[in-house]
Amino acid sequence: MLAKLHTFSLVGIDAAAVVAEVDVSLAAMPKTVLVGLPEQAVKESIHRIERALVNSGFVLPDNRCVINLAPAEMPKQAASFDLPVALGLLAASGQFESALLDEFAVVGELALDGAMRPVKGALSMAIAAAELPRLRGLIVPAHNAAEAAVVQDVEVIAVNSLAETVAFLTEQLPIEPTPSRVSDLFKEFGQYEDDFGDVRGQEMAKRAVMLAAAGAHNILMVGSPGTGKTMLAKRMPTILPRLTADESIETSRIYSVLGKLAPGRPLMVRRPFRAPHHTISNAGLVGGGSTPTPGEISLAHNGVLFLDELPEFNRTTLEVLRQPLEEGTVSISRALRSSDFPADFMLIASLNPCPCGYRNDPRRECHCSVPQIERYINKISGPLLDRIDIHIEVAAVPFKELAHGPPGTDSRTIAEQVATARAAQSKRFADSGTRTNGQMTSRQVREVCKLDNASRDLLEANVNEMGLSARAHDKILRVARTIADVEGSAELRQEHVAEAVNYRMLDRRFWS
């Protein structure tokens, strides 16, 4: 007999439809043949499936079994084919019949005793199932049910074992679809523990961080050790707008494919904050491998990527950030396939002003020589600096302010300013794909950031004096537009341009 089942295979962060065809026919010698470009993990599954069938109380077919995973030209490389292949063997050998096999896709890894084990990418598979009109639902391991149920257009059936799956398909055991809990998840896990009120002093730095959040600008912080750079960076997600449902699902897909969703949290409801160590490789940062997988910049999608001690990173590793910073996506190409991963993140970088960390610090003496400082700073290229909109100095906070100073501006107050600016940008870019000032194209910059004569003269003088590039010129105008949005001004004024220019002066002060 021939049995056909619907299942899915992961390709990057997407799920592609696969048909598992199982044919059992009479033969002198029992033999199982697996075709359809299976990778090693899929080839090894045959032994696991055979023992799971026997230990679940079923009869192992003693005939010739041919298993085809179509389409044949697409590599199959996950253990999620265990359950559909096992069900195919049972159906093809006449041990059960079910009309539901045409209505439900099936994914799942089997233990030797027939119990279900979780799989990666259940969310992507549920999204793919919802896009196929012939499918009514998706059968997944119970551990993955809440994750897949985020997609409301498909019935998600949670099963704990192979025997339970067969009982459901033969309608001996009714199983209700897992309900979607998207709104409950946002209420339960949407709050942040950190707050900008914990940061004493640094009000000027907080304003720069607020502007970065308001316009989705990249920001670089320079300062001695212990001045609060990391505290400021970690609290950036608390003032960014809440994730929308679409953004949440888009981000969760990446974590789902990599198996990084936290237990009990099937959906990313807070903006991700990623802070990789400076020893990270190129592939670890942007993604890669023989089978392309997402890297840290994709894990930071719709969130924040924090690179602490920027000069300590390998220079070639930093250079691969150029294209993702400009385009919001990263393309990983290999000989056999190419994958595109989303990488729309805010970059926050921090560094010390010199190797010892105390250059220009009035409390400590710097012993670094000029050549040492030049070698340290020159690890960061000019083109990368050009792509960072705001450069600020984070000075040390005096003891009096730390011990007896008033509480700092809290996240709620700053978030209200960010929301005001974002609302203005949403209205401005309602008819385009741009969402924030930081994403404006050069044409949009010319249309939106028109200057009066005084502002134009100020900008021209500073661009000529500091030798800024055309990209840096546009960055200044984008930041100036954000400053105006925060203040509720429809026009760009001279003071807006002056403040934006000040946020570009650190690269000339420290890199000269």
Side-chain angles (χ1 to χ4, degrees), residues 283 287-292 332-339:
S290 56
T291 301
I332 308 296
S333 298
R334 294 294 180 264
L336 296 178
R337 72 192 75 176
S338 177
S339 298

Side-chain angles (χ1 to χ4, degrees), residues 248-281:
S248 179
I249 291 175
E250 191 178 37
T251 305
S252 299
R253 287 178 64 196
I254 302 168
Y255 282 74
S256 171
V257 166
L258 295 176
K260 289 183 176 292
L261 284 175
R265 299 191 179 189
L267 191 66
M268 296 285 294
V269 296
R270 296 191 293 194
R271 292 194 179 272
F273 178 86
R274 304 295 299 182
H277 192 259
H278 61 76
T279 56
I280 192 171
S281 65

Side-chain angles (χ1 to χ4, degrees), residues 182-455:
V182 173
S183 58
D184 294 338
L185 291 170
F186 271 89
K187 291 178 183 177
E188 187 175 355
F189 300 115
Q191 304 303 316
Y192 293 91
E193 292 78 22
D194 296 325
D195 193 282
F196 269 99
D198 302 331
V199 183
R200 293 296 183 103
Q202 303 297 7
E203 293 302 314
M204 291 181 64
K206 285 184 183 180
R207 175 168 174 82
V209 169
M210 179 271 294
L211 292 173
H217 302 292
N218 303 315
I219 182 170
L220 171 70
M221 296 183 285
V222 183
S224 302
T227 55
K229 301 185 296 295
T230 301
M231 286 186 73
L232 290 167
K234 285 185 175 179
R235 284 154 180 76
M236 174 67 86
T238 67
I239 62 174
L240 291 170
R242 299 286 182 182
L243 280 174
T244 64
D246 289 342
E247 287 176 334
S248 179
I249 291 175
E250 191 178 37
T251 305
S252 299
R253 287 178 64 196
I254 302 168
Y255 282 74
S256 171
V257 166
L258 295 176
K260 289 183 176 292
L261 284 175
R265 299 191 179 189
L267 191 66
M268 296 285 294
V269 296
R270 296 191 293 194
R271 292 194 179 272
F273 178 86
R274 304 295 299 182
H277 192 259
H278 61 76
T279 56
I280 192 171
S281 65
N282 294 9
L285 187 61
V286 301
S290 56
T291 301
T293 55
E296 286 289 337
I297 62 173
S298 294
L299 289 170
H301 180 60
N302 288 323
V304 174
L305 178 69
F306 177 47
L307 301 183
D308 197 10
E309 304 298 342
L310 191 64
E312 300 299 332
F313 285 79
N314 185 290
R315 178 161 180 160
T316 58
T317 301
L318 293 178
E319 293 307 300
V320 298
L321 287 174
R322 291 195 200 176
Q323 180 245 348
L325 283 173
E326 289 288 319
E327 300 182 9
T329 60
V330 58
S331 180
I332 308 296
S333 298
R334 294 294 180 264
L336 296 178
R337 72 192 75 176
S338 177
S339 298
D340 293 326
F341 301 128
D344 186 7
F345 60 91
M346 275 188 58
L347 174 65
I348 303 180
S350 71
L351 70 154
N352 297 326
C354 65
C356 78
Y358 295 103
R359 184 187 182 196
N360 299 327
D361 191 327
R363 304 168 304 170
R364 300 281 294 271
E365 184 178 355
C366 173
H367 298 285
C368 300
S369 65
V370 172
Q372 285 178 317
I373 296 173
E374 288 180 349
R375 282 195 299 271
Y376 178 74
I377 297 301
N378 285 339
K379 292 180 181 180
I380 308 171
S381 69
L384 180 62
L385 282 175
D386 262 354
R387 289 168 168 81
I388 300 178
D389 309 44
I390 298 175
H391 308 161
I392 61 167
E393 182 178 9
V394 182
V397 180
F399 173 80
K400 184 178 180 181
E401 193 168 351
L402 282 174
H404 308 293
T409 307
D410 60 11
S411 291
R412 182 176 180 179
T413 303
I414 300 175
E416 290 173 354
Q417 295 176 292
V418 172
T420 299
R422 288 290 183 108
Q425 292 165 57
S426 297
K427 184 178 179 180
R428 177 182 304 125
F429 303 121
D431 298 329
S432 70
T434 303
R435 293 181 297 173
T436 60
N437 291 334
Q439 298 174 333
M440 279 195 290
T441 64
S442 297
R443 178 180 298 177
Q444 289 173 325
V445 169
R446 291 193 296 271
E447 294 174 353
V448 173
C449 305
K450 296 180 179 178
L451 303 176
D452 56 28
N453 292 333
S455 300

